[in-house]
Amino acid sequence: MKEDVKIDGKTAEGFVIPIGKVNLVFVKTDKGLIGCGAFDVNGLEKFAYPAAKVKPSGNSVADINDLLNGTIAAVNPSGEKIGIKVGMSGRDAAKLIV
């Protein structure tokens, strides 16, 4: 499922893709990606694409709200260059890619 995600009056693309018993969840723009723990953010560094993955505030990242309310657990060097930091909220990190 694709949905528009409004962040500070700007729009990012949000995706929730069921894979077995869990969902693959991410928000992306041309400037970067914030995703659930299934993403290899270091693999995206090979393309100099800013990326970070989120640790959920609950049991798992099941939807976009869980993603935005979680905490950044890992960020690649390109993500660090735009200001994404481990420990910040998913929402604050998303503000840096819109």
Side-chain angles (χ1 to χ4, degrees):
M1 175 176 80
K2 178 184 171 194
E3 62 183 87
D4 286 341
V5 179
K6 297 289 185 189
I7 301 167
D8 281 355
K10 299 176 183 173
T11 303
E13 293 178 301
F15 295 86
V16 179
I17 302 167
I19 52 172
K21 295 181 180 181
V22 297
N23 292 333
L24 183 64
V25 183
F26 62 102
V27 171
K28 75 160 194 83
T29 69
D30 291 342
K31 295 180 183 177
L33 176 142
I34 308 300
C36 66
F39 282 90
D40 179 2
V41 296
N42 290 319
L44 292 169
E45 179 60 26
K46 293 177 185 176
F47 307 103
Y49 186 69
K53 64 181 169 180
V54 170
K55 176 179 143 186
S57 58
N59 292 334
S60 68
V61 176
D63 57 30
I64 300 296
N65 283 331
D66 288 343
L67 185 79
L68 297 176
N69 291 324
T71 303
I72 299 299
V75 58
N76 66 14
S78 291
E80 290 175 340
K81 286 180 186 174
I82 65 168
I84 301 173
K85 294 178 176 39
V86 170
M88 72 187 330
S89 73
R91 183 174 311 280
D92 286 342
K95 289 176 184 179
L96 297 170
I97 65 166
V98 292

